[in-house]
Amino acid sequence: MNLFQSITSALDNALAKDPTAVIFGEDVAFGGVFRCTVGLRDKYGKDRVFNTPLCEQGIVGFGIGIAVAGATAIAEIQFADYIFPAFDQIVNEAAKYRYRSGDLFNCGNLTIRAPWGCVGHGALYHSQSPEAFFAHCPGIKIVIPRSPLQAKGLLLSCIEDKNPCIFFEPKILYRAAVEQVPVEPYNIPLSQAEVLQTGSDVTLVAWGTQVHVIKEVAAMAQEKLGVSCEVIDLRTILPWDTETVCKSVVKTGRLLISHEAPLTGGFASEISSTVQEECFLNLEAPISRVCGYDTPFPHIFEPFYIPDKWKCYDALRNMINY
Amino acid sequence: MAAMVALRALRWRLLSGPRAARRRLSDFPVPEEKPQFPGASAEFADRLEFIQPNVISGIPVYRVMDRQGHVLSPDQDPQLPQEAVLKLYRTMTLLNTMDRILYESQRQGRISFYMTNYGEEGTHVGSAAALDASDLVFGQYREAGVLMYRGYPLDLFMAQCYGNASDTAKGRQMPVHYGCRERHFVTISSPLATQIPQAVGAAYAIKRSDGNRAVICYFGEGAASEGDAHAGFNFAATLECPIVFFCRNNGYAISTPTSEQYRGDGIAARGPGYGLLSIRVDGNDVFAVYNATREARRRAVAENQPVLIEAMTYRIGHHSTSDDSSAYRSVDEVNYWDKQDHPISRLRHYMVNRGWWDEEQEKGWRKSSRKMVMEAFEEAERKPKPSPQLLFSDVYRELPPHLRRQRAALERHLQLYGEHYPLEHFEK
């Protein structure tokens, strides 16, 4: 299955298992602009897979209400770039529902899905990675898969998790990434980073599409510099797995974090800050962040903007030579 | 009409037959037919005419009683039995008494904040009485009478305002942010109008799971300006949700009068724009509120459609204890409404007219209701606050490692610096 098919498979499993589960958002009825919901309306009915009016604050508010009433809500925001009208409902409402009511009410049955990240030509409004805005908000979970196999397991965990979750799907991988994915349901735990490759000299951390970039960088480092890299996919941004990352940095002494989102205030800042607190005496070099520039996401300049393997490789080289 | 159908059929044959390609545009007759646009269903107009919004004689205000409590048309009297009417009255007056005491307690620094419901008690109890007990309520912040009508005890109102250890919400929120799961009253939040699309979502889920339950969503005329209100109305209509939207139009959003809040004919006139059944009622007439809510609820559930009620009323009190409304409106205006058109006096007139109430009962009830409130008040004053450990729970359903660590950090901090914190008022 490719990534969008693995999403469809997860949604299919979720609707089959949970009769209260419904999927809604813009254009989901015919299958979605990225084909993630193809076939589901025919299979489960128009009261379970349906279009909403074009209104993100409505989509998320509506989804919160479904969850508060005890049913499972799977909301789609058409592009992560358009999630901002729903920011108030997510941050002020969904995230705080359980806390402010003393656990009398909650919207844990809410999952919000949105296509995320650069796609080659998306420019300002079809390329954004907004996880840092939400990482600052206690009460929600943020999950970003790197592949079809990961996506299905993580999405099912989000849907079943009893806290409101945002699931960002790397759109550039929707068709491009293909893997063997089981048709039956399975779960991948949240808040657990995955070490894809062990190493001794440098820790590389990323999530989503960028994991594939750092895997390539690890190979380049081994071949050109004889440097052994430990590659970590963070998977859950909030709450994040500090233990796995810190344990790795204690071993290697060097950390490089990379994401497409702009440098300033990006999630690499949080990781960097925590690691220097916990692993200060183990560090052999300053922590390196290879990120997008502090600009809106450009169109024609995308190849220069993105934190590609050459920028990551260069930063790694500087860390080794520090 | 038959001619149009015939012409349409002719055109279809002409356009789709094998010789269609050889037809020219001038071959086709020009029929007098309706526009075919997918987006609207209407006739053509051949005169340029703008629709004039009608605010001078807008949607009328439905009422049952006049200001002296006389029922104007007997067939509109909901014929509520005496006990039911007394319950409406007692709830409104108990709320009023609790408001006076808690407002005062804020002035004395005993609680941090309070909002009164003066003048709007009729909107609360009239609507609450018309609902089923299990109908789900989403409120804004000035609907305490709905919760009181459903039996929420005085000591829990006070516990929330004091944030003491009996507060079911564990002291998390500012006063008047009530919530009660078993009475189906969703916890209030400060951001305005956020509850509106949420109420719609809940109604959608309830429609799928239980065919006999409605959702009611309260909000003020100011909150109705928020984007979330627009979103909620539109979603409710397109997704066919069993929901009653109840707008309390009390004339002010803090200091902003309605003339600065909207230029159309209030909130009721927006309803038809969304495809909503809509009505405007006299919010100070409990029977009008009751009748409208009852019928709205019946139709919402029976027909799976939203209904919009705009209840006209007046906010007699300040917006909150942080507001002094004499800065933007005259005391005369406030006194006018308090003396001339108050839901409590109107209902009392009705009850006295029916021989169900008199001066002696009034005196007796004032005394006993005040006593109840004072007892609850004194008890709330005495209770300790919840343990500071509760600062960290319920962020997620489970306590994640980072919050466990932060909680431990606070514990260690208090061991060293506890003297600088008001620990004596809190449970361990």
Side-chain angles (χ1 to χ4, degrees):
Chain A
M1 293 182 202
N2 62 27
L3 181 63
F4 74 73
Q5 290 164 336
S6 75
I7 302 289
T8 316
S9 178
L11 297 173
D12 191 354
N13 292 153
L15 264 59
K17 179 172 161 187
D18 178 353
T20 74
V22 293
I23 299 171
F24 52 93
E26 294 152 29
D27 303 297
V28 301
F30 89 103
V33 294
F34 290 109
R35 305 217 236 145
C36 293
T37 52
V38 167
L40 296 177
R41 184 176 169 92
D42 286 341
K43 187 167 178 184
Y44 294 103
K46 60 187 176 65
D47 62 321
R48 298 186 70 187
V49 181
F50 53 93
N51 293 338
T52 63
L54 208 166
C55 179
E56 288 77 11
Q57 67 195 101
I59 289 167
V60 174
F62 179 83
I64 291 171
I66 289 179
V68 168
T72 298
I74 305 168
E76 178 176 303
I77 297 294
Q78 198 155 86
F79 284 87
D81 313 58
Y82 308 140
I83 202 165
F84 301 107
F87 201 76
D88 188 41
Q89 285 284 355
I90 294 170
V91 166
N92 267 336
E93 297 288 316
K96 298 172 169 56
Y97 231 92
R98 191 188 296 275
Y99 187 81
R100 73 191 188 198
S101 69
D103 199 20
L104 296 179
F105 296 94
N106 72 79
C107 60
N109 289 340
L110 172 66
T111 302
I112 301 165
R113 297 175 37 246
W116 168 103
C118 79
V119 71
H121 55 276
L124 287 77
Y125 303 112
H126 299 81
S127 313
Q128 288 178 48
S129 310
E131 66 273 10
F133 293 105
F134 297 99
H136 192 55
C137 177
I140 50 173
K141 296 194 176 182
I142 306 165
V143 177
I144 308 178
R146 69 173 183 271
S147 76
L149 188 66
Q150 291 288 310
K152 175 167 166 167
L154 289 168
L155 178 56
L156 283 172
S157 294
C158 286
I159 292 169
E160 288 158 27
D161 192 277
K162 291 303 180 194
N163 299 289
C165 296
I166 304 178
F167 187 77
F168 287 124
E169 302 167 356
K171 64 178 85 66
I172 200 173
L173 300 179
Y174 271 142
R175 297 209 302 169
V178 182
E179 271 181 319
Q180 284 295 329
V181 179
V183 172
E184 318 79 50
Y186 59 93
N187 290 83
I188 293 178
L190 303 186
S191 293
Q192 269 189 40
E194 188 180 357
V195 179
L196 300 190
Q197 162 186 325
T198 53
S200 53
D201 302 327
V202 186
T203 301
L204 307 178
V205 174
W207 47 91
T209 320
Q210 200 67 7
V211 173
H212 305 290
V213 175
I214 60 171
K215 272 169 71 176
E216 267 195 76
V217 175
M220 285 163 73
Q222 183 66 64
E223 189 200 315
K224 297 180 199 280
L225 305 169
V227 162
S228 150
C229 295
E230 185 142 296
V231 177
I232 299 179
D233 177 4
L234 196 63
R235 302 200 293 195
T236 298
I237 306 301
L238 185 74
W240 68 282
D241 183 359
T242 55
E243 202 185 312
T244 298
V245 175
C246 290
K247 189 166 145 201
S248 175
V249 178
V250 162
K251 182 172 68 167
T252 64
R254 293 177 186 83
L255 174 62
L256 184 151
I257 314 153
S258 187
H259 57 62
E260 290 169 21
L263 178 72
T264 299
F267 198 66
S269 326
E270 158 64 24
I271 298 173
S272 177
S273 202
T274 299
V275 168
Q276 65 87 31
E277 270 170 11
E278 300 294 317
C279 313
F280 187 73
L281 293 174
N282 303 99
L283 290 171
E284 298 288 338
I287 297 171
S288 186
R289 295 179 293 160
V290 185
C291 304
Y293 300 116
D294 287 330
T295 72
F297 201 107
H299 181 235
I300 212 68
F301 308 114
E302 178 165 334
F304 303 97
Y305 175 90
I306 54 173
D308 60 22
K309 63 187 181 191
W310 301 110
K311 293 182 185 172
C312 293
Y313 174 75
D314 189 60
L316 187 153
R317 212 167 43 84
N318 289 335
M319 270 204 303
I320 295 296
N321 296 334
Y322 188 77
Chain B
M1 187 64 198
M4 281 184 354
V5 170
L7 281 168
R8 211 175 286 139
L10 166 65
R11 188 200 237 189
W12 185 86
R13 284 210 325 275
L14 290 172
L15 282 170
S16 55
R19 286 176 290 178
R22 286 192 263 136
R23 292 281 170 184
R24 291 163 299 177
L25 236 84
S26 55
D27 291 340
F28 298 119
V30 178
E32 307 291 317
E33 55 178 59
K34 279 183 64 157
Q36 301 295 307
F37 302 112
S41 161
E43 302 293 332
F44 277 113
D46 52 16
R47 304 218 61 76
L48 177 65
E49 233 179 283
F50 290 92
I51 299 172
Q52 179 72 31
N54 186 352
V55 299
I56 308 298
S57 56
I59 296 174
V61 182
Y62 170 73
R63 64 173 179 170
V64 172
M65 297 183 279
D66 64 17
R67 285 176 173 183
Q68 286 69 48
H70 299 119
V71 172
L72 295 159
S73 299
D75 66 321
Q76 296 298 303
D77 186 333
Q79 313 271 16
L80 294 175
Q82 180 174 0
E83 249 337 284
V85 176
L86 288 183
K87 180 176 176 183
L88 292 174
Y89 185 75
R90 288 198 188 106
T91 306
M92 290 197 288
T93 47
L94 185 64
L95 176 62
N96 188 275
T97 303
M98 182 178 85
D99 275 353
R100 284 172 204 280
I101 286 169
L102 286 177
Y103 185 91
E104 211 24 63
S105 85
Q106 192 278 341
R107 275 1 215 165
Q108 294 169 12
R110 296 167 189 273
I111 61 176
S112 61
F113 175 81
Y114 194 69
M115 300 178 99
T116 58
N117 301 274
Y118 303 146
E120 300 187 50
E121 299 89 346
T123 62
H124 303 179
V125 305
S127 55
L131 300 169
D132 282 13
S134 65
D135 287 341
L136 193 56
V137 175
F138 283 80
Q140 179 169 302
Y141 52 55
R142 219 184 290 280
E143 296 90 12
V146 174
L147 194 49
M148 191 174 272
Y149 185 89
R150 284 189 169 181
Y152 198 63
L154 289 170
D155 60 296
L156 287 184
F157 279 111
M158 308 251 177
Q160 197 282 324
C161 289
Y162 276 84
N164 66 33
S166 296
D167 179 19
T168 53
K170 304 174 191 170
R172 304 258 167 78
Q173 291 211 81
M174 283 170 77
V176 311
H177 288 65
Y178 311 115
C180 181
R181 186 164 56 209
E182 55 264 41
R183 291 173 180 86
H184 312 287
F185 189 95
V186 180
T187 303
I188 300 303
S189 72
S190 307
L192 295 183
T194 48
Q195 73 276 16
I196 303 178
Q198 293 171 20
V200 176
Y204 188 89
I206 281 167
K207 174 173 79 163
R208 290 197 71 238
S209 66
D210 180 342
N212 198 17
R213 224 179 140 205
V215 175
I216 190 164
C217 182
Y218 296 90
F219 51 95
E221 87 286 349
S225 294
E226 281 279 0
D228 272 344
H230 160 72
F233 297 154
N234 200 24
F235 275 55
T238 54
L239 299 172
E240 297 172 355
C241 300
I243 181 169
V244 177
F245 291 117
F246 194 104
C247 176
R248 294 176 293 96
N249 187 331
N250 64 13
Y252 290 90
I254 309 188
S255 71
T256 305
T258 54
S259 58
E260 289 171 10
Q261 194 63 247
Y262 54 76
R263 276 308 145 85
D265 177 26
I267 282 56
R270 297 179 200 168
Y274 292 99
L276 304 177
L277 266 180
S278 313
I279 191 169
R280 171 174 286 149
V281 307
D282 182 339
N284 291 350
D285 175 344
V286 282
F287 295 141
V289 172
Y290 177 85
N291 285 349
T293 307
R294 189 134 188 83
E295 178 64 3
R297 189 220 179 262
R298 188 191 69 76
R299 291 193 69 171
V301 172
E303 298 164 31
N304 279 323
Q305 68 165 315
V307 184
L308 172 62
I309 299 174
E310 182 182 19
M312 308 307 292
T313 179
Y314 186 84
R315 194 196 75 206
I316 289 173
H318 306 298
H319 165 70
S320 73
T321 47
S322 308
D323 177 49
D324 175 5
S325 61
S326 66
Y328 52 83
R329 60 181 183 177
S330 72
V331 174
D332 285 345
E333 179 187 303
V334 178
N335 282 336
Y336 170 84
W337 286 94
D338 194 22
K339 301 282 175 300
Q340 305 295 333
D341 190 354
H342 198 293
I344 291 176
S345 0
R346 261 163 102 172
L347 187 62
R348 188 171 58 244
H349 291 319
Y350 173 89
M351 285 157 54
V352 167
N353 294 344
R354 299 272 321 236
W356 289 348
W357 198 253
D358 59 30
E359 199 42 53
E360 202 191 304
Q361 284 170 286
E362 177 70 22
K363 265 205 253 187
W365 169 243
R366 278 200 200 177
K367 196 167 159 207
S368 64
S369 59
R370 194 186 151 79
K371 181 162 181 283
M372 282 195 294
V373 174
M374 288 311 298
E375 274 168 11
F377 171 78
E378 272 145 24
E379 181 161 345
E381 283 266 307
R382 278 196 298 268
K383 285 198 179 127
K385 309 301 184 196
S387 161
Q389 299 244 327
L390 292 176
L391 195 165
F392 296 97
S393 53
D394 304 325
V395 178
Y396 297 93
R397 193 171 78 161
E398 67 283 357
L399 187 69
H402 70 286
L403 285 184
R404 205 178 295 273
R405 283 195 294 273
Q406 291 177 20
R407 187 177 68 180
L410 178 62
E411 263 182 67
R412 287 193 302 273
H413 180 76
L414 290 175
Q415 269 158 22
L416 291 176
Y417 296 92
E419 58 181 301
H420 303 290
Y421 296 82
L423 284 168
E424 65 275 16
H425 298 301
F426 289 77
E427 285 184 345
K428 294 282 160 277

